[in-house]
Amino acid sequence: MKALTWQGKQNVSVETVPDPQIQEADDIIIEVTTSGLCGSDLHLYDPLGPFLHPGDVLGHEPMGRVVERGSAITDLQVGDRVVIPFQIACGSCFMCQRGLQTQCETTQVREYGMGAALYGYTDLYGAVPGGQAEFLRVPHGNYNPIKVEEGPSDDRFVYLSDVAPTAWQGIEYSGIKSGETLVIVGLGPIGEMAARMALLRDVRVIGVDLVPERLARSAALGVETINLEDGDPVAAILDKTAGRGADAVMEAVGMEAHGSGVAETAQKVVGLLPKALSRPIMTNASTDRLAALDLAFQAVRRGGTVSISGVYAGAADPLSMQMIFDKQLTLRMGQANVKRWADDLLPLAQDDADPLGLETFATHHVPLDQAPAAYEMFQKKQDGAIKVLFQP
Protein backbone atom coordinates (compact mmCIF):
# COMPACT_ATOMS: atom_id res chain seq x y z
CA MET A 1 0.00 0.00 0.00
CA LYS A 2 0.96 3.67 -0.23
CA ALA A 3 1.63 5.49 3.05
CA LEU A 4 3.09 8.78 4.26
CA THR A 5 6.35 7.98 6.07
CA TRP A 6 8.78 9.90 8.24
CA GLN A 7 12.29 9.96 6.74
CA GLY A 8 14.05 12.57 8.85
CA LYS A 9 13.79 16.08 10.25
CA GLN A 10 11.24 17.99 8.10
CA ASN A 11 11.38 15.15 5.58
CA VAL A 12 8.33 12.97 4.88
CA SER A 13 7.57 10.97 1.76
CA VAL A 14 4.92 8.68 0.31
CA GLU A 15 6.32 5.16 0.01
CA THR A 16 5.10 1.66 -0.72
CA VAL A 17 4.96 -0.31 2.54
CA PRO A 18 3.54 -3.73 3.47
CA ASP A 19 -0.23 -3.97 3.79
CA PRO A 20 -1.42 -4.30 7.40
CA GLN A 21 -2.49 -7.77 8.52
CA ILE A 22 -4.90 -9.12 11.12
CA GLN A 23 -2.72 -9.95 14.15
CA GLU A 24 -5.29 -10.49 16.90
CA ALA A 25 -8.77 -11.95 16.81
CA ASP A 26 -10.35 -8.58 17.61
CA ASP A 27 -8.44 -6.61 14.96
CA ILE A 28 -10.06 -5.00 11.96
CA ILE A 29 -8.49 -3.59 8.80
CA ILE A 30 -9.99 -0.46 7.29
CA GLU A 31 -9.51 1.09 3.89
CA VAL A 32 -8.83 4.72 4.73
CA THR A 33 -11.07 7.16 2.88
CA THR A 34 -10.01 10.36 4.68
CA SER A 35 -7.22 11.16 7.14
CA GLY A 36 -6.45 14.51 8.75
CA LEU A 37 -3.17 16.38 9.08
CA CYS A 38 -2.96 17.49 12.70
CA GLY A 39 -0.91 20.22 14.34
CA SER A 40 0.51 17.46 16.52
CA ASP A 41 1.94 15.87 13.36
CA LEU A 42 4.17 18.91 13.04
CA HIS A 43 5.80 17.98 16.36
CA LEU A 44 6.93 14.79 14.58
CA TYR A 45 8.04 16.82 11.59
CA ASP A 46 10.54 18.59 13.82
CA PRO A 47 11.16 18.32 17.63
CA LEU A 48 10.14 14.69 18.32
CA GLY A 49 12.43 13.20 15.69
CA PRO A 50 14.60 11.37 18.27
CA PHE A 51 11.73 8.92 18.83
CA LEU A 52 11.02 8.20 15.16
CA HIS A 53 12.64 5.91 12.59
CA PRO A 54 12.86 6.29 8.80
CA GLY A 55 9.84 4.55 7.33
CA ASP A 56 7.47 5.11 10.29
CA VAL A 57 3.92 5.65 8.99
CA LEU A 58 2.37 8.86 10.31
CA GLY A 59 -1.17 10.05 10.95
CA HIS A 60 -3.77 9.65 13.69
CA GLU A 61 -7.03 11.11 12.34
CA PRO A 62 -8.42 8.43 10.00
CA MET A 63 -11.79 7.12 8.91
CA GLY A 64 -12.79 4.58 6.31
CA ARG A 65 -14.53 1.28 5.68
CA VAL A 66 -13.98 -2.13 7.21
CA VAL A 67 -12.41 -4.47 4.64
CA GLU A 68 -11.34 -7.30 6.93
CA ARG A 69 -12.18 -8.39 10.46
CA GLY A 70 -10.80 -10.84 12.98
CA SER A 71 -12.71 -13.87 14.21
CA ALA A 72 -13.69 -12.21 17.51
CA ILE A 73 -15.29 -9.11 15.95
CA THR A 74 -18.99 -9.00 16.81
CA ASP A 75 -20.09 -5.42 16.29
CA LEU A 76 -18.88 -4.60 12.79
CA GLN A 77 -19.33 -6.01 9.33
CA VAL A 78 -17.18 -5.68 6.21
CA GLY A 79 -18.29 -2.48 4.50
CA ASP A 80 -19.22 -0.62 7.68
CA ARG A 81 -18.16 3.01 7.77
CA VAL A 82 -16.08 3.91 10.84
CA VAL A 83 -14.05 6.70 12.42
CA ILE A 84 -10.95 5.65 14.36
CA PRO A 85 -10.04 7.54 17.58
CA PHE A 86 -6.39 8.56 17.71
CA GLN A 87 -5.70 6.55 20.87
CA ILE A 88 -5.92 2.77 21.14
CA ALA A 89 -7.97 1.64 24.13
CA CYS A 90 -9.44 -1.64 25.31
CA GLY A 91 -12.67 -0.28 26.80
CA SER A 92 -12.67 -2.61 29.80
CA CYS A 93 -9.71 -1.72 32.05
CA PHE A 94 -9.82 0.45 35.19
CA MET A 95 -8.96 3.62 33.26
CA CYS A 96 -11.24 3.04 30.27
CA GLN A 97 -14.17 2.35 32.58
CA ARG A 98 -13.60 5.81 34.07
CA GLY A 99 -13.59 7.56 30.74
CA LEU A 100 -9.80 7.90 30.65
CA GLN A 101 -9.12 6.06 27.41
CA THR A 102 -5.83 7.93 26.92
CA GLN A 103 -4.59 6.15 30.05
CA CYS A 104 -5.74 2.65 28.97
CA GLU A 105 -3.92 0.11 31.13
CA THR A 106 -3.97 -2.48 28.36
CA THR A 107 -2.11 -0.35 25.80
CA GLN A 108 0.00 1.90 28.07
CA VAL A 109 3.56 2.26 26.78
CA ARG A 110 5.24 1.35 30.04
CA GLU A 111 8.75 1.29 28.58
CA TYR A 112 8.61 5.09 28.48
CA GLY A 113 6.15 5.63 31.31
CA MET A 114 3.55 6.96 28.87
CA GLY A 115 -0.20 6.52 28.49
CA ALA A 116 -2.22 4.65 25.87
CA ALA A 117 -0.70 3.80 22.50
CA LEU A 118 -1.45 6.24 19.68
CA TYR A 119 -1.48 5.76 15.93
CA GLY A 120 1.55 7.08 14.07
CA TYR A 121 3.12 8.78 17.07
CA THR A 122 6.69 7.67 17.85
CA ASP A 123 8.20 5.05 20.13
CA LEU A 124 6.89 7.04 23.11
CA TYR A 125 3.37 5.94 22.20
CA GLY A 126 3.94 2.44 20.94
CA ALA A 127 5.36 2.92 17.42
CA VAL A 128 1.99 1.92 15.92
CA PRO A 129 1.68 2.52 12.15
CA GLY A 130 -0.54 5.51 11.45
CA GLY A 131 -3.50 6.38 9.29
CA GLN A 132 -2.07 8.61 6.56
CA ALA A 133 -2.12 5.52 4.42
CA GLU A 134 -4.38 3.47 2.17
CA PHE A 135 -5.11 0.87 4.87
CA LEU A 136 -4.89 0.71 8.67
CA ARG A 137 -4.91 -2.08 11.23
CA VAL A 138 -7.20 -1.21 14.16
CA PRO A 139 -6.67 -3.20 17.40
CA HIS A 140 -9.54 -3.73 19.87
CA GLY A 141 -11.98 -3.50 17.00
CA ASN A 142 -15.03 -4.25 19.14
CA TYR A 143 -14.47 -1.06 21.12
CA ASN A 144 -12.34 1.55 19.37
CA PRO A 145 -14.16 2.30 16.09
CA ILE A 146 -17.03 4.78 15.99
CA LYS A 147 -19.58 3.52 13.48
CA VAL A 148 -21.19 6.31 11.46
CA GLU A 149 -24.10 6.50 9.07
CA GLU A 150 -24.06 6.42 5.30
CA GLY A 151 -24.82 9.53 3.30
CA PRO A 152 -23.02 12.61 4.66
CA SER A 153 -19.49 13.26 3.42
CA ASP A 154 -16.39 12.19 5.33
CA ASP A 155 -15.92 15.84 6.31
CA ARG A 156 -18.92 15.50 8.60
CA PHE A 157 -17.36 12.66 10.60
CA VAL A 158 -13.55 12.56 10.29
CA TYR A 159 -13.10 15.18 13.03
CA LEU A 160 -14.55 12.72 15.56
CA SER A 161 -11.13 11.02 15.47
CA ASP A 162 -9.35 13.91 17.23
CA VAL A 163 -10.26 17.54 16.49
CA ALA A 164 -13.83 17.51 17.79
CA PRO A 165 -13.24 15.52 21.01
CA THR A 166 -10.04 17.44 21.76
CA ALA A 167 -11.89 20.74 21.43
CA TRP A 168 -14.91 19.42 23.36
CA GLN A 169 -12.77 18.13 26.22
CA GLY A 170 -10.93 21.46 26.33
CA ILE A 171 -14.25 23.25 26.77
CA GLU A 172 -15.48 20.73 29.35
CA TYR A 173 -12.24 20.96 31.32
CA SER A 174 -12.44 24.75 31.33
CA GLY A 175 -15.69 24.61 33.30
CA ILE A 176 -16.97 27.60 31.32
CA LYS A 177 -20.66 28.46 31.64
CA SER A 178 -23.17 30.36 29.53
CA GLY A 179 -22.59 34.09 29.75
CA GLU A 180 -18.98 33.78 30.92
CA THR A 181 -15.83 34.75 29.02
CA LEU A 182 -13.46 32.19 27.56
CA VAL A 183 -10.10 33.11 26.04
CA ILE A 184 -8.74 30.65 23.48
CA VAL A 185 -4.99 30.94 22.86
CA GLY A 186 -4.34 29.60 19.36
CA LEU A 187 -7.00 29.58 16.63
CA GLY A 188 -5.74 26.61 14.66
CA PRO A 189 -8.06 23.64 14.08
CA ILE A 190 -8.50 22.81 17.78
CA GLY A 191 -8.87 26.41 18.90
CA GLU A 192 -11.34 27.31 16.15
CA MET A 193 -13.40 24.16 16.72
CA ALA A 194 -13.50 24.94 20.44
CA ALA A 195 -14.65 28.47 19.64
CA ARG A 196 -17.51 27.08 17.55
CA MET A 197 -18.54 24.80 20.39
CA ALA A 198 -18.29 27.53 23.02
CA LEU A 199 -20.38 29.94 20.94
CA LEU A 200 -23.09 27.25 20.69
CA ARG A 201 -23.14 27.28 24.50
CA ASP A 202 -23.68 31.06 24.59
CA VAL A 203 -20.15 31.70 25.87
CA ARG A 204 -18.31 34.91 25.05
CA VAL A 205 -15.13 33.91 23.20
CA ILE A 206 -11.94 35.96 22.84
CA GLY A 207 -9.39 34.37 20.51
CA VAL A 208 -5.65 35.10 20.34
CA ASP A 209 -3.44 34.26 17.35
CA LEU A 210 -1.07 35.90 14.88
CA VAL A 211 -2.06 34.23 11.59
CA PRO A 212 -4.33 36.57 9.59
CA GLU A 213 -6.39 33.77 8.00
CA ARG A 214 -7.08 32.18 11.38
CA LEU A 215 -8.06 35.47 12.93
CA ALA A 216 -10.38 36.28 10.02
CA ARG A 217 -12.13 32.88 10.10
CA SER A 218 -12.75 33.07 13.83
CA ALA A 219 -13.90 36.69 13.68
CA ALA A 220 -16.47 35.69 11.05
CA LEU A 221 -17.91 33.23 13.59
CA GLY A 222 -18.38 35.94 16.22
CA VAL A 223 -15.11 35.53 18.12
CA GLU A 224 -13.52 38.72 19.47
CA THR A 225 -10.01 38.38 18.07
CA ILE A 226 -6.66 39.71 19.30
CA ASN A 227 -3.61 39.70 17.04
CA LEU A 228 -0.43 38.90 18.98
CA GLU A 229 1.48 41.24 16.73
CA ASP A 230 -0.65 44.27 17.66
CA GLY A 231 0.83 44.66 21.14
CA ASP A 232 0.36 43.18 24.60
CA PRO A 233 -2.41 40.53 24.38
CA VAL A 234 -2.79 40.30 28.16
CA ALA A 235 -3.44 44.03 28.38
CA ALA A 236 -6.02 43.71 25.60
CA ILE A 237 -7.77 40.84 27.41
CA LEU A 238 -7.81 42.74 30.70
CA ASP A 239 -9.27 45.74 28.90
CA LYS A 240 -12.09 43.54 27.56
CA THR A 241 -12.81 41.98 30.97
CA ALA A 242 -13.01 44.98 33.34
CA GLY A 243 -9.40 44.44 34.36
CA ARG A 244 -10.21 41.06 35.86
CA GLY A 245 -9.23 38.53 33.20
CA ALA A 246 -11.19 35.73 31.57
CA ASP A 247 -13.23 33.23 33.57
CA ALA A 248 -11.30 30.49 31.81
CA VAL A 249 -8.54 30.17 29.24
CA MET A 250 -8.10 27.27 26.84
CA GLU A 251 -4.51 26.90 25.60
CA ALA A 252 -4.52 25.26 22.17
CA VAL A 253 -0.95 25.87 20.98
CA GLY A 254 1.46 23.58 22.81
CA MET A 255 5.18 22.96 22.79
CA GLU A 256 6.11 25.02 19.71
CA ALA A 257 4.65 28.38 20.72
CA HIS A 258 5.97 31.55 19.11
CA GLY A 259 7.88 33.93 21.36
CA SER A 260 9.94 31.26 23.18
CA GLY A 261 13.37 31.86 21.68
CA VAL A 262 15.61 30.08 24.19
CA ALA A 263 13.48 26.92 24.28
CA GLU A 264 13.16 26.95 20.49
CA THR A 265 16.93 27.00 20.13
CA ALA A 266 17.28 24.18 22.67
CA GLN A 267 14.73 22.04 20.80
CA LYS A 268 16.59 22.52 17.53
CA VAL A 269 19.99 21.69 19.07
CA VAL A 270 18.65 18.49 20.66
CA GLY A 271 17.09 17.50 17.35
CA LEU A 272 20.50 17.60 15.69
CA LEU A 273 22.11 15.18 18.16
CA PRO A 274 22.43 11.42 17.56
CA LYS A 275 19.52 9.39 19.00
CA ALA A 276 21.75 7.91 21.71
CA LEU A 277 22.24 11.44 23.09
CA SER A 278 18.98 13.14 22.15
CA ARG A 279 16.60 10.54 23.58
CA PRO A 280 17.81 10.81 27.20
CA ILE A 281 17.74 14.60 26.96
CA MET A 282 14.21 14.62 25.56
CA THR A 283 13.08 12.11 28.20
CA ASN A 284 14.70 13.73 31.25
CA ALA A 285 15.70 17.33 30.61
CA SER A 286 13.77 18.73 27.64
CA THR A 287 11.87 22.00 27.74
CA ASP A 288 8.90 23.30 25.78
CA ARG A 289 8.23 26.73 24.35
CA LEU A 290 5.93 28.11 27.04
CA ALA A 291 4.90 31.53 25.72
CA ALA A 292 1.31 30.45 25.05
CA LEU A 293 0.99 28.81 28.45
CA ASP A 294 2.42 31.86 30.22
CA LEU A 295 -0.08 34.02 28.37
CA ALA A 296 -2.90 31.76 29.57
CA PHE A 297 -1.81 32.05 33.21
CA GLN A 298 -1.67 35.82 32.95
CA ALA A 299 -4.96 36.22 31.07
CA VAL A 300 -7.18 34.13 33.36
CA ARG A 301 -8.87 35.81 36.31
CA ARG A 302 -8.06 34.90 39.89
CA GLY A 303 -9.83 31.69 40.83
CA GLY A 304 -10.23 30.82 37.14
CA THR A 305 -9.37 27.71 35.16
CA VAL A 306 -6.71 27.06 32.54
CA SER A 307 -7.55 24.14 30.25
CA ILE A 308 -4.54 22.87 28.30
CA SER A 309 -5.19 21.10 25.01
CA GLY A 310 -1.89 21.94 23.29
CA VAL A 311 0.58 19.05 23.35
CA TYR A 312 3.59 19.37 25.67
CA ALA A 313 6.50 16.97 25.99
CA GLY A 314 9.05 18.80 28.15
CA ALA A 315 10.40 16.94 31.16
CA ALA A 316 11.94 19.99 32.85
CA ASP A 317 9.67 22.91 32.03
CA PRO A 318 9.93 25.94 34.35
CA LEU A 319 6.45 27.07 35.42
CA SER A 320 5.57 30.20 37.36
CA MET A 321 4.28 28.36 40.41
CA GLN A 322 4.16 31.62 42.34
CA MET A 323 1.59 33.06 39.93
CA ILE A 324 -0.39 29.82 39.63
CA PHE A 325 -0.58 29.48 43.42
CA ASP A 326 -1.22 33.15 44.17
CA LYS A 327 -4.04 33.39 41.60
CA GLN A 328 -5.55 30.16 42.97
CA LEU A 329 -5.84 28.68 39.49
CA THR A 330 -7.29 25.34 38.51
CA LEU A 331 -5.37 23.48 35.79
CA ARG A 332 -6.86 20.67 33.71
CA MET A 333 -5.12 19.10 30.77
CA GLY A 334 -4.39 16.01 28.77
CA GLN A 335 -5.02 14.29 25.48
CA ALA A 336 -8.68 13.86 24.62
CA ASN A 337 -10.48 10.72 25.73
CA VAL A 338 -12.27 10.27 22.42
CA LYS A 339 -14.80 7.57 23.27
CA ARG A 340 -15.81 9.44 26.43
CA TRP A 341 -17.20 12.28 24.31
CA ALA A 342 -18.42 10.34 21.27
CA ASP A 343 -22.06 10.20 22.41
CA ASP A 344 -22.08 14.00 22.85
CA LEU A 345 -20.48 14.72 19.50
CA LEU A 346 -22.06 12.20 17.13
CA PRO A 347 -25.49 13.91 17.19
CA LEU A 348 -23.85 17.22 16.25
CA ALA A 349 -22.06 15.56 13.35
CA GLN A 350 -25.26 13.88 12.16
CA ASP A 351 -27.45 16.98 12.49
CA ASP A 352 -28.62 18.06 9.03
CA ALA A 353 -28.13 21.69 10.06
CA ASP A 354 -24.39 21.02 10.63
CA PRO A 355 -24.22 23.35 13.67
CA LEU A 356 -20.42 23.10 13.92
CA GLY A 357 -19.87 23.84 10.23
CA LEU A 358 -18.00 20.57 9.71
CA GLU A 359 -18.73 20.38 5.99
CA THR A 360 -16.72 23.54 5.34
CA PHE A 361 -14.16 23.28 8.16
CA ALA A 362 -11.28 21.95 6.02
CA THR A 363 -9.35 24.47 3.97
CA HIS A 364 -7.58 21.87 1.81
CA HIS A 365 -8.42 18.40 0.46
CA VAL A 366 -5.24 16.78 -0.82
CA PRO A 367 -4.44 13.44 -2.49
CA LEU A 368 -2.13 11.33 -0.35
CA ASP A 369 0.67 11.52 -2.91
CA GLN A 370 0.81 15.30 -2.31
CA ALA A 371 1.15 14.91 1.46
CA PRO A 372 4.83 16.00 1.70
CA ALA A 373 4.03 19.36 0.11
CA ALA A 374 0.98 19.69 2.37
CA TYR A 375 3.13 19.17 5.48
CA GLU A 376 5.47 21.95 4.38
CA MET A 377 2.57 24.25 3.54
CA PHE A 378 0.88 23.59 6.89
CA GLN A 379 4.09 24.03 8.88
CA LYS A 380 4.86 27.33 7.17
CA LYS A 381 1.20 28.46 7.42
CA GLN A 382 1.02 29.10 3.69
CA ASP A 383 -1.97 29.36 1.36
CA GLY A 384 -4.40 29.88 4.24
CA ALA A 385 -3.90 26.29 5.41
CA ILE A 386 -5.85 25.74 8.63
CA LYS A 387 -7.11 22.17 8.25
CA VAL A 388 -5.82 19.69 5.68
CA LEU A 389 -7.51 16.39 4.86
CA PHE A 390 -5.79 13.63 2.88
CA GLN A 391 -7.82 11.38 0.60
CA PRO A 392 -5.91 8.18 -0.16
Side-chain angles (χ1 to χ4, degrees):
M1 69 171 182
K2 297 292 185 181
L4 192 281
T5 64
W6 186 87
Q7 297 297 334
K9 183 181 176 69
Q10 297 188 16
N11 180 13
V12 296
S13 64
V14 176
E15 305 291 343
T16 299
V17 303
D19 289 350
Q21 304 294 321
I22 296 289
Q23 298 178 23
E24 303 290 342
D26 63 348
D27 285 351
I28 64 169
I29 305 294
I30 69 164
E31 181 178 14
V32 178
T33 54
T34 299
S35 186
L37 171 56
C38 179
S40 298
D41 291 325
L42 297 183
H43 304 326
L44 311 184
Y45 198 58
D46 202 339
L48 291 181
F51 295 95
L52 286 158
H53 310 273
D56 284 353
V57 179
L58 305 181
H60 59 269
E61 297 184 353
M63 69 172 292
R65 292 189 180 276
V66 179
V67 293
E68 190 175 352
R69 61 185 200 143
S71 59
I73 295 296
T74 58
D75 297 333
L76 293 172
Q77 302 296 324
V78 170
D80 282 346
R81 192 181 188 199
V82 293
V83 178
I84 308 303
F86 70 90
Q87 73 252 187
I88 303 170
C90 71
S92 58
C93 71
F94 178 91
M95 291 296 178
C96 285
Q97 289 296 299
R98 285 156 180 79
L100 293 168
Q101 289 87 357
T102 58
Q103 312 303 323
C104 175
E105 293 181 327
T106 302
T107 73
Q108 277 180 18
V109 185
R110 291 180 171 82
E111 178 184 357
Y112 292 101
M114 305 300 280
L118 310 179
Y119 292 101
Y121 218 78
T122 78
D123 290 349
L124 291 174
Y125 288 100
V128 181
Q132 290 169 2
E134 293 180 313
F135 296 94
L136 176 70
R137 170 181 169 256
V138 179
H140 301 287
N142 282 323
Y143 177 72
N144 278 302
I146 301 170
K147 186 177 177 180
V148 298
E149 64 185 4
E150 299 293 336
S153 71
D154 280 9
D155 285 49
R156 189 68 74 89
F157 299 116
V158 68
Y159 305 114
L160 297 175
S161 62
D162 183 352
V163 175
T166 297
W168 189 270
Q169 179 171 291
I171 297 295
E172 289 289 319
Y173 278 11
S174 77
I176 201 73
K177 298 178 177 62
S178 173
E180 294 185 332
T181 299
L182 172 70
V183 165
I184 299 177
V185 182
L187 294 172
I190 302 301
E192 185 188 321
M193 184 66 76
R196 294 175 182 227
M197 293 169 172
L199 291 169
L200 284 179
R201 301 184 186 198
D202 194 31
V203 170
R204 179 193 183 196
V205 180
I206 301 172
V208 182
D209 207 294
L210 48 67
V211 180
E213 293 86 353
R214 293 179 176 183
L215 291 162
R217 280 207 358 160
S218 289
L221 299 170
V223 175
E224 300 174 43
T225 57
I226 295 173
N227 190 330
L228 277 170
E229 296 186 337
D230 287 345
D232 182 354
V234 175
I237 291 166
L238 293 176
D239 185 60
K240 291 176 176 288
T241 56
R244 188 175 295 120
D247 298 292
V249 176
M250 178 176 165
E251 196 278 275
V253 178
M255 68 172 78
E256 294 184 88
H258 290 272
S260 307
V262 174
E264 178 180 0
T265 300
Q267 284 179 349
K268 291 179 177 179
V269 169
V270 171
L272 295 173
L273 297 173
K275 278 186 168 57
L277 296 176
S278 59
R279 281 194 173 200
I281 293 173
M282 287 287 289
T283 302
N284 300 303
S286 59
T287 59
D288 296 305
R289 307 181 204 174
L290 300 178
L293 197 56
D294 288 339
L295 192 161
F297 293 149
Q298 294 179 62
V300 70
R301 66 165 170 80
R302 292 178 179 274
T305 298
V306 174
S307 173
I308 305 170
S309 297
V311 174
Y312 286 93
D317 287 335
L319 295 180
S320 178
M321 290 304 300
Q322 180 188 55
M323 177 168 53
I324 295 168
F325 179 83
D326 181 65
K327 292 183 73 172
Q328 201 168 334
L329 302 183
T330 296
L331 308 185
R332 296 200 70 183
M333 66 195 80
Q335 300 192 49
N337 303 292
V338 175
K339 290 300 290 282
R340 177 175 181 175
W341 311 114
D343 290 343
D344 296 304
L345 290 165
L346 193 54
L348 292 171
Q350 293 173 332
D351 189 331
D352 290 340
D354 191 14
L356 293 176
L358 302 176
E359 291 276 5
T360 56
F361 190 73
T363 54
H364 293 71
H365 295 79
V366 178
L368 185 63
D369 60 9
Q370 295 178 20
Y375 263 75
E376 182 177 3
M377 172 185 68
F378 189 44
Q379 197 235 10
K380 294 181 178 179
K381 299 178 176 62
Q382 297 172 336
D383 195 33
I386 294 174
K387 186 59 185 179
V388 179
L389 296 179
F390 298 130
Q391 297 172 314

